[in-house]
Amino acid sequence: MGLWDAGATQIPLARPDIASDFGLFAADAREPADPFLAAKPRLSQIPFQPWARKLFDNRVLSRQEPYTRCKPSSAARQVATAYGTQFLDFPDLQRLYIMETGGAHSFRTVYMDGRAHPPNLSPGFRGHSVGHWEGDTLVVDTTGFNEKVWIDNLGVPTTEQLHTIERFTRTNFTTIKYEISVDDPGAYTATWKSGFYLRWAPGESFEFVCQDNNMAPELIVGDGDLKIVMPPYVP
């Protein structure tokens, strides 16, 4: 029994960091240590379409992440969730479940029976995931997302054209190498990749209750260091 937690990564960047990579994060010393930022191409390397970059900048300032309001997340945001992640494989059922302790405290089903994605998916927060093994690597192919889902905790935009491929490789007993390919022609000009490492820690998951209608919004829109103007809408 144990949980997997995202941590600092040794996955190499395409090039060394420079200050301008962090853009709006330059004044926030916490962000460069973020597990998701630690491995992705830096913001200057992500092939944003102009509208997507502007929306991302707005999300950075408002910090209105759906995760903090108990909405399901997917892709890297689900895997690198608060309080750890669990992977449950049921070979007899030909299904694998990815369960996060924090946030919505729910799960994503990965179908391992060789099925294809349905032709007319109803877009959702989790999308539709199918998986297979390539040697010791679990490959998860997901599509069918809605535009409300966040795939990281900073808010890189996505559309209903989003298609992700995740690779989970257990490099040793206590380490999983996580890699993700993001293909979304509605928001980006090219496919881009990211990744991080997950570390195993023994212990049981605890009961976590995520409450809708959070009555302390000031706790999720910054820490007082930045002047924050609440948006006229909640994504």
Side-chain angles (χ1 to χ4, degrees), residues 19 32 39 71 84 108 112 117 143 145 151 156 170 173 181 185 205:
K71 305 300 183 184
R108 174 163 42 130
M112 303 290 291
H117 296 299
T143 188
F145 295 99
I151 62 171
V156 293
R170 195 167 186 173
F173 184 76
S181 173
S205 178

Side-chain angles (χ1 to χ4, degrees), residues 68-70 211-220:
T68 62
R69 297 189 306 282
C70 313
Q211 295 174 300
D212 284 318
N213 193 27
N214 192 310
M215 301 304 291
E218 69 278 1
L219 299 179
I220 61 174

Side-chain angles (χ1 to χ4, degrees), residues 152-173:
D152 74 339
N153 66 335
L154 301 175
V156 293
T158 59
T159 71
E160 291 187 3
Q161 298 179 62
L162 174 63
H163 177 200
T164 65
I165 296 179
E166 300 162 280
R167 299 177 65 88
F168 301 80
T169 305
R170 195 167 186 173
T171 58
N172 57 48
F173 184 76

Side-chain angles (χ1 to χ4, degrees), residues 31-221:
E31 300 297 355
D34 181 273
F36 194 72
L37 271 182
K40 69 169 57 171
R42 296 304 184 184
L43 298 181
S44 63
Q45 296 174 274
I46 296 177
F48 288 102
Q49 292 186 22
W51 75 266
R53 177 65 205 224
K54 291 181 179 179
L55 177 56
F56 177 81
D57 290 348
N58 178 274
R59 288 177 171 181
V60 168
L61 291 177
S62 67
R63 304 293 178 93
Q64 286 285 335
E65 185 185 2
Y67 174 92
T68 62
R69 297 189 306 282
C70 313
K71 305 300 183 184
S73 53
S74 197
R77 185 61 180 111
Q78 184 197 19
V79 175
T81 191
Y83 315 121
T85 304
Q86 293 176 304
F87 301 89
L88 302 179
D89 187 17
F90 293 92
D92 291 345
L93 298 178
Q94 294 185 300
R95 295 184 184 185
L96 182 143
Y97 298 93
I98 304 175
M99 309 178 69
E100 70 264 42
T101 300
H105 191 53
S106 57
F107 59 88
R108 174 163 42 130
T109 302
V110 180
Y111 297 99
M112 303 290 291
D113 55 6
R115 72 179 67 187
H117 296 299
N120 297 307
L121 284 169
S122 178
F125 284 92
R126 299 289 194 201
H128 183 271
S129 295
V130 296
H132 67 274
W133 291 97
E134 294 182 1
D136 293 332
T137 298
L138 171 67
V139 181
V140 179
D141 183 306
T142 307
T143 188
F145 295 99
N146 63 32
E147 296 190 357
K148 297 179 181 179
V149 67
W150 282 24
I151 62 171
D152 74 339
N153 66 335
L154 301 175
V156 293
T158 59
T159 71
E160 291 187 3
Q161 298 179 62
L162 174 63
H163 177 200
T164 65
I165 296 179
E166 300 162 280
R167 299 177 65 88
F168 301 80
T169 305
R170 195 167 186 173
T171 58
N172 57 48
F173 184 76
T174 60
T175 306
I176 290 177
K177 182 180 182 181
Y178 174 81
E179 302 167 282
I180 181 171
S181 173
V182 179
D183 180 23
D184 187 347
Y188 303 98
T189 60
T191 299
W192 56 279
K193 297 180 179 181
S194 183
F196 45 78
Y197 285 97
L198 296 166
R199 308 296 184 187
W200 185 82
E204 295 186 15
S205 178
F206 61 92
E207 182 177 4
F208 182 94
V209 178
C210 194
Q211 295 174 300
D212 284 318
N213 193 27
N214 192 310
M215 301 304 291
E218 69 278 1
L219 299 179
I220 61 174
V221 293

Side-chain angles (χ1 to χ4, degrees), residues 219-234:
L219 299 179
I220 61 174
V221 293
D223 59 3
D225 294 334
L226 297 173
K227 183 179 181 180
I228 296 171
V229 178
M230 293 290 288
Y233 59 87
V234 176

